[in-house]
Amino acid sequence: MPAEITEPVAQFIARQTHFYMATANAKGQPYVQHRGGPAGFLKVLGPKTLGFADFLGNMRYITVGNLGENDNVFLFLMDYPAQRRVKIRGRAGIVTDPDVIRSVADPNYDAVVERAIIIDVEYWETNCNAHISQRFSQADVDRAVAPVLERMKRLEERLEAAGLPTD
């Protein structure tokens, strides 16, 4: 399986607004966390390096604790509308260097960044899209429905102008 991030995979990563991240502690006890942010918050920093700003959250620090004991990490990225997924296996480190944090933070996103998480990719893979239910964000639905609502508004205005009922 490839370790270097190809351009199509980099583009896929740049469109994502969330992913699932699995870690385990020193005893191997697994933990999965949902990570979210603006599109592109998970950044391709190099051919085999990813990084993201770790935002202030519920302050349980399970993922951070696990990474302090065991640097193995697995990312599961789902694009529900396109019914595609990418799986990424690697080793992750916690970075508090302000320059690194600035390199992965989005200055236009209003969130408190506590640290950066940098991942050295060991391999990535895609697989079939069977059984991925197509799902859409509210913003996707609003964009799709907007032209229909606008047309309906214009038609209702024409009916009203002609003295006909609109309901």
Side-chain angles (χ1 to χ4, degrees), residues 87-110:
K87 300 173 187 178
I88 301 169
R89 165 85 168 79
R91 304 229 175 225
I94 298 163
V95 179
T96 56
D97 179 290
D99 292 332
V100 175
I101 291 172
R102 269 191 297 283
S103 75
V104 296
D106 180 342
N108 299 315
Y109 188 62
D110 187 26

Side-chain angles (χ1 to χ4, degrees), residues 83-158:
Q83 295 175 293
R84 294 190 58 221
R85 65 181 151 224
V86 171
K87 300 173 187 178
I88 301 169
R89 165 85 168 79
R91 304 229 175 225
I94 298 163
V95 179
T96 56
D97 179 290
D99 292 332
V100 175
I101 291 172
R102 269 191 297 283
S103 75
V104 296
D106 180 342
N108 299 315
Y109 188 62
D110 187 26
V112 176
V113 178
E114 291 192 290
R115 67 193 62 79
I117 296 183
I118 305 300
I119 301 160
D120 295 320
V121 176
E122 293 181 342
Y123 70 82
W124 62 266
E125 65 176 313
T126 61
N127 56 350
C128 77
N129 64 353
H131 312 294
I132 298 175
S133 298
Q134 204 169 32
R135 298 170 190 216
F136 299 93
S137 70
Q138 187 62 52
D140 291 335
V141 172
D142 290 346
R143 273 190 301 277
V145 172
V148 174
L149 292 176
E150 183 57 36
R151 183 166 195 269
M152 192 165 69
K153 179 181 170 189
R154 287 192 315 269
L155 291 172
E156 286 177 344
E157 288 169 354
R158 286 174 60 193

Side-chain angles (χ1 to χ4, degrees), residues 15 36 139 163 167:
R15 290 189 304 269
D167 51 349

